[in-house]
Amino acid sequence: VMQISKESIFSGLNHLMVNNVFSTDSDEMFGFTPKEVKGLCAEYGHPEKFEEAREWYDGYRFGDAEIYNPWSILNYVHYGFKAEGYWAGTSGNSIIDTLLDMADGSVYSDLRALGEGKPVVKDIDTRISYADMTSVNGIYCVMVLSGYLKAAPVDHGFALSIPNTEMFDVFGKM
């Protein structure tokens, strides 16, 4: 669930304490840590698959923790360590599709760079409002907060990148 700020008229539930991709509280609880994935691979008889799992499902950063996509890791193990995109079909992309329809040439240039494995530096506001979603940076905020992109802090903003092979596949299809 993504936090949409300044929209309390839609809910009687307001003023929540929110953890998001930048929060350090419970940062290791958003997915599996490298140690946990290594343990899963070993426990299910395939310690040699750890590197493949890292390539396909690692790359996320929550607070100070390196995190693997939990849905994808569970499916990877369940389906006999077959590396493929498990996360892609779990939700709709309609908000991202709508934002892409409104995007200008600079956004498509940035998306092309990301698709080529090059980082793009942007400002990310975790308290995005509905009105802010249609701004040029809105697409980046939504993509970071929903897991399509990884955001690493740099001097002036965040270096955005595609986190892993699974997301490169999703990104290419989008």
Side-chain angles (χ1 to χ4, degrees):
V1 175
M2 193 172 83
Q3 176 188 9
I4 305 293
S5 67
K6 302 178 188 172
E7 302 299 334
S8 61
I9 60 170
F10 296 119
S11 171
L13 182 62
N14 298 305
H15 309 294
L16 300 174
M17 299 300 287
V18 175
N19 283 325
N20 59 43
V21 296
F22 301 114
S23 303
T24 55
D25 295 341
S26 308
D27 52 4
E28 292 183 351
M29 302 301 173
F30 282 93
F32 291 112
T33 65
K35 181 179 177 182
E36 291 168 329
V37 172
K38 189 175 262 191
L40 279 168
C41 290
E43 186 173 327
Y44 284 88
H46 289 284
E48 78 284 359
K49 291 291 194 172
F50 174 70
E51 194 58 35
E52 181 177 71
R54 185 194 61 72
E55 205 174 284
W56 270 81
Y57 310 114
D58 185 19
Y60 294 100
R61 183 140 195 98
F62 284 83
D64 293 327
E66 178 184 349
I67 295 296
Y68 287 64
N69 180 320
W71 176 257
S72 297
I73 287 294
L74 290 174
N75 280 282
Y76 176 67
V77 172
H78 177 78
Y79 290 108
F81 295 87
K82 183 178 179 188
E84 62 181 59
Y86 297 105
W87 180 77
T90 62
S91 68
N93 299 325
S94 61
I95 289 177
I96 291 175
D97 291 342
T98 300
L99 293 173
L100 286 173
D101 286 342
M102 295 185 290
D104 63 13
S106 69
V107 172
Y108 282 102
S109 177
D110 289 343
L111 294 176
R112 189 174 301 108
L114 289 165
E116 294 170 356
K118 300 172 189 165
V120 173
V121 176
K122 296 290 175 187
D123 290 325
I124 301 297
D125 184 358
T126 61
R127 295 174 310 259
I128 191 169
S129 68
Y130 278 117
D132 296 335
M133 278 186 172
T134 59
S135 71
V136 172
N137 271 358
I139 182 78
Y140 305 110
C141 296
V142 172
M143 290 181 84
V144 165
L145 295 172
S146 59
Y148 287 90
L149 296 175
K150 172 185 177 179
V154 293
D155 287 340
H156 301 289
F158 293 88
L160 307 182
S161 60
I162 299 173
N164 53 44
T165 301
E166 179 180 39
M167 291 314 300
F168 263 104
D169 188 47
V170 168
F171 202 83
K173 289 176 182 169
M174 283 179 59

